[in-house]
Amino acid sequence: MDTALLLLVLLNLIALTFPAAIPPRIPRFLKDRLQITHKEYSYLIRNGYLRPRNYEFTFEAEKDIPVVTDAISRFQEFYKLPVTGELDERTRGVMWEPRCGYPDVGESLHNETVENRAGHHRVRRYDIADGRYKWDSSQITYSLVNFPTRGGIKLSDLRNTIKRAFEVWSDVTPLVFTELHGHEVNQAMVRIAFMKGRHSHDLEHPIFDGPNGDLAHAFSPKSGWGEVNGDIHFDDDDVFTLGNNDRGYNFFQTAAHEIGHALGLDHSNDPEALMWPHYHFMRDFELPDDDIRGVQALYGTKTSPRVPNVRIDQGPRPKSTLVRQPSKKSYCTSGYSAVTSISGSIYTFKGKFYWRSWRRLLVTPKDGRKIHDKWYHLPANIRASYQRRDGKTVFFRGAKYWVYFGSQMEPGYPRPVAELGLPKGVDAALSKTKAKTFFFKGDQVWRFDERKKSVDNGYPKKIGEVFTGLGDKVTAAFQHDDGNSYLLRGKKYYRVAKGKYEVDPGYPRHFTSDFLGCASVTA
Ligand SMILES: [Ca+2]
Ligand SMILES: [Ca+2]
Ligand SMILES: [Zn+2]
Ligand SMILES: [Zn+2]
Ligand SMILES: [Zn+2]
């Protein structure tokens, strides 16, 4: 591999650490014009200020500059600084205060999308994401998976401090917290661990930054993070202590804050609140009113619980924090009802779940992610999907189709496929050229003109009349960024080269081996 290609691959891997396509590094002309460092730019992305996250720089100053200055303004607004859109010394100072690694606004660590929640933090102080991310049970189990290597807190003191941090929340709600020990540690709903740097196989999992900066992060219940939902990670490069001194950060208050996230609370823009993103030591700690209102909005008050006090079986947790166990029905042996290529990533769909891979590297957890965590209001059992050349993604199921820009559904959808001149229940969609998209159903194929928005004359035809060597059924298809078309039947796929309508020699091959990085399967 030559150096330029290697660099390209590395840059793309870096891009994967962010859930959407805004570049992880700022273009030089913006960097110079706005006097912003890569580190500051990356802070704005990480904490949810750069929106939309699927923005691509145009290299036209009048378009690109406001994207960044608006992000700085939103940051200044959240932290109650003079809103100038410029990184002055005071703004920089606030930016590098020790803080929680959970984002401040818009996107939070409970899903990959942003825009529909913009503005909530202005309406009210605490933020509970419409109450979607909470535990169904008031009986919540937690565990201590490992221990800090720095700071020298005795294990018994650590346990006791965590217990008191949970009591901060159970004092004002019907919640009951129980610690699990020994072999049950990984079955707890809230698992607490001390981790350094990159500490997960999930490339989208936030990375710790060494001493200071981010001190900890946590994942909302029932969010899109799979097995780490509800978990709390402390940065083991930071020093935690029991008191308030220069040697480290107060463990009790940091833990109480992170438990707030593990219960479903987002950051508050009330600087007095425990859920304020920064670490501010509070003398004579008492849970502030804003946090009480927040947690009670989710779980009810202590005297009149809104949540029935019934244990709901959450199911066993995976065996280990860091090593994912292969599920019985592996994504490697599965067939997929739809496959699409979006900006170079392969998305596969089955039932309620989707998987994403990039250059054979599975980016989502092996058990997949919920479709509606990425595409709001999109139903399960998607049968066909393609990315239109205008960047929008189109999904088909039964008699309807949906159009999305990023994670947002376009207004007015779903709409009937009949208006496109297509039959109900298409099996697959292939955006073969800029102007022409092919739809497959049974042994027939329709050629759709994207400009005229209608099916071309003479269609449908038999698949064999249009594509040679493909057989008489296509179950999924995608046009990839290498210019080739890929068409699946069950677990196998055929490649049709750019500009051609004939299957390349050497096909079919096994789809999950070539695109999801699975071990080769003898066909
Ligand atoms: Ca840190
Ligand atoms: Ca399909
Ligand atoms: Zn936080
Ligand atoms: Zn983590
Ligand atoms: Zn502060």
Side-chain angles (χ1 to χ4, degrees):
M1 203 182 289
D2 69 41
T3 322
L5 184 59
L6 182 67
L7 188 67
L8 191 70
V9 168
L10 286 175
L11 284 173
N12 275 302
L13 283 174
I14 292 164
L16 287 180
T17 64
F18 298 96
I22 191 151
R25 289 180 71 81
I26 187 165
R28 174 162 285 279
F29 87 97
L30 282 175
K31 186 174 182 287
D32 294 342
R33 279 283 280 275
L34 298 171
Q35 295 291 300
I36 179 172
T37 65
H38 285 303
K39 221 176 145 194
E40 288 156 348
Y41 169 78
S42 147
Y43 179 104
L44 293 171
I45 296 181
R46 222 171 44 241
N47 291 296
Y49 292 101
L50 259 165
R51 299 201 301 256
R53 294 185 68 156
N54 50 17
Y55 185 79
E56 279 174 35
F57 287 114
T58 59
F59 297 90
E60 292 169 57
E62 66 275 22
K63 284 187 188 152
D64 291 346
I65 284 176
V67 171
V68 181
T69 55
D70 286 354
I72 296 168
S73 299
R74 278 190 284 269
F75 174 81
Q76 291 169 326
E77 193 187 338
F78 189 97
Y79 287 97
K80 299 167 175 57
L81 295 159
V83 177
T84 61
E86 277 175 40
L87 283 172
D88 47 44
E89 280 319 300
R90 202 169 147 204
T91 305
R92 286 198 163 94
V94 171
M95 199 175 249
W96 298 114
E97 275 187 53
R99 60 165 293 148
C100 167
Y102 192 102
D104 291 341
V105 287
E107 170 187 79
S108 300
L109 289 187
H110 41 63
N111 58 48
E112 299 183 1
T113 38
V114 185
E115 297 298 294
N116 67 330
R117 295 190 42 237
H120 278 186
H121 56 284
R122 279 183 212 105
V123 182
R124 57 175 177 231
R125 293 177 148 188
Y126 64 82
D127 197 336
I128 54 171
D130 301 328
R132 272 176 71 192
Y133 304 101
K134 56 171 284 209
W135 300 105
D136 290 325
S137 168
S138 58
Q139 311 280 316
I140 293 173
T141 56
Y142 71 92
S143 66
L144 190 53
V145 175
N146 63 11
F147 317 109
T149 53
R150 306 182 63 185
I153 304 179
K154 272 197 307 181
L155 181 54
S156 56
D157 288 339
L158 191 78
R159 280 227 149 80
N160 189 41
T161 304
I162 290 172
K163 184 165 176 280
R164 285 195 300 117
F166 275 104
E167 284 167 359
V168 163
W169 300 102
S170 57
D171 281 348
V172 297
T173 60
L175 296 172
V176 178
F177 299 103
T178 313
E179 188 182 359
L180 299 184
H181 299 269
H183 65 279
E184 288 184 299
V185 155
N186 272 305
Q187 281 148 48
M189 293 148 83
V190 179
R191 295 175 299 182
I192 299 167
F194 294 81
M195 313 282 216
K196 291 184 188 193
R198 179 181 284 291
H199 54 278
S200 168
H201 291 328
D202 184 347
L203 292 177
E204 293 176 11
H205 192 111
I207 299 166
F208 280 134
D209 55 358
N212 306 314
D214 292 356
L215 306 179
H217 55 228
F219 301 86
S220 315
K222 293 200 284 185
S223 57
W225 291 87
E227 66 189 60
V228 298
N229 286 349
D231 289 357
I232 296 171
H233 297 160
F234 290 93
D235 188 346
D236 201 25
D237 279 321
D238 287 302
V239 177
F240 296 98
T241 68
L242 295 180
N244 172 36
N245 51 51
D246 292 333
R247 285 190 302 110
Y249 300 104
N250 182 271
F251 184 66
F252 168 72
Q253 287 182 19
T254 312
H257 174 106
E258 296 304 324
I259 291 167
H261 291 312
L263 296 176
L265 288 166
D266 283 356
H267 280 150
S268 170
N269 70 343
D270 176 354
E272 305 291 311
L274 177 63
M275 295 315 290
W276 175 251
H278 287 167
Y279 171 85
H280 285 175
F281 182 76
M282 290 184 247
R283 220 163 284 283
D284 305 321
F285 179 83
E286 258 186 37
L287 188 62
D289 287 350
D290 183 61
D291 306 289
I292 295 174
R293 284 195 299 273
V295 75
Q296 290 187 343
L298 283 173
Y299 296 100
T301 62
K302 195 146 188 85
T303 43
S304 60
R306 280 184 221 166
V307 179
N309 202 10
V310 174
R311 161 90 209 204
I312 293 166
D313 188 11
Q314 300 290 318
R317 298 293 301 248
K319 290 282 185 294
S320 162
T321 314
L322 293 176
V323 182
R324 296 172 193 282
Q325 301 291 308
S327 55
K328 275 169 237 122
K329 207 170 180 205
S330 161
Y331 71 99
C332 285
T333 53
S334 182
Y336 294 98
S337 67
V339 180
T340 188
S341 170
I342 302 178
S343 309
S345 281
I346 301 287
Y347 288 80
T348 61
F349 297 84
K350 187 187 180 167
K352 288 182 198 159
F353 297 94
Y354 77 92
W355 290 256
R356 175 180 156 205
S357 73
W358 192 86
R359 305 289 182 258
R360 299 188 77 230
L361 184 71
L362 189 70
V363 179
T364 45
K366 289 182 177 178
D367 293 334
R369 290 228 167 105
K370 290 262 177 66
I371 289 172
H372 63 65
D373 282 341
K374 181 163 179 67
W375 294 280
Y376 286 129
H377 306 298
L378 188 65
N381 300 315
I382 290 303
R383 290 284 299 279
S385 164
Y386 73 104
Q387 187 176 29
R388 236 161 44 185
R389 299 302 170 106
D390 62 3
K392 295 181 183 176
T393 312
V394 191
F395 297 94
F396 294 83
R397 191 184 94 166
K400 291 182 191 160
Y401 76 105
W402 289 255
V403 176
Y404 278 73
F405 186 61
S407 292
Q408 296 302 304
M409 196 196 297
E410 294 281 284
Y413 287 91
R415 299 183 59 87
V417 292
E419 71 181 17
L420 303 173
L422 295 172
K424 287 180 191 173
V426 294
D427 293 326
L430 176 71
S431 172
K432 177 113 175 103
T433 68
K434 205 168 183 170
K436 305 290 185 188
T437 304
F438 290 90
F439 292 93
F440 299 83
K441 184 188 175 181
D443 62 356
Q444 291 184 303
V445 58
W446 284 252
R447 194 177 75 190
F448 182 81
D449 190 296
E450 294 285 350
R451 295 190 187 112
K452 288 189 265 170
K453 296 283 168 214
S454 62
V455 172
D456 285 336
N457 287 336
Y459 287 85
K461 295 183 179 180
K462 293 278 190 222
I463 292 174
E465 292 177 60
V466 181
F467 292 93
T468 310
L470 204 53
D472 57 3
K473 172 103 180 157
V474 172
T475 55
F478 61 100
Q479 183 67 21
H480 205 14
D481 61 355
D482 60 7
N484 297 317
S485 307
Y486 296 87
L487 300 108
L488 287 80
R489 186 163 59 248
K491 296 169 190 175
K492 295 187 185 161
Y493 77 98
Y494 299 81
R495 190 179 77 190
V496 173
K498 189 175 182 177
K500 299 216 170 145
Y501 289 85
E502 184 179 356
V503 169
D504 281 343
Y507 291 86
R509 291 174 55 91
H510 206 273
F511 174 72
T512 61
S513 310
D514 288 355
F515 286 96
L516 301 185
C518 296
S520 49
V521 182
T522 35

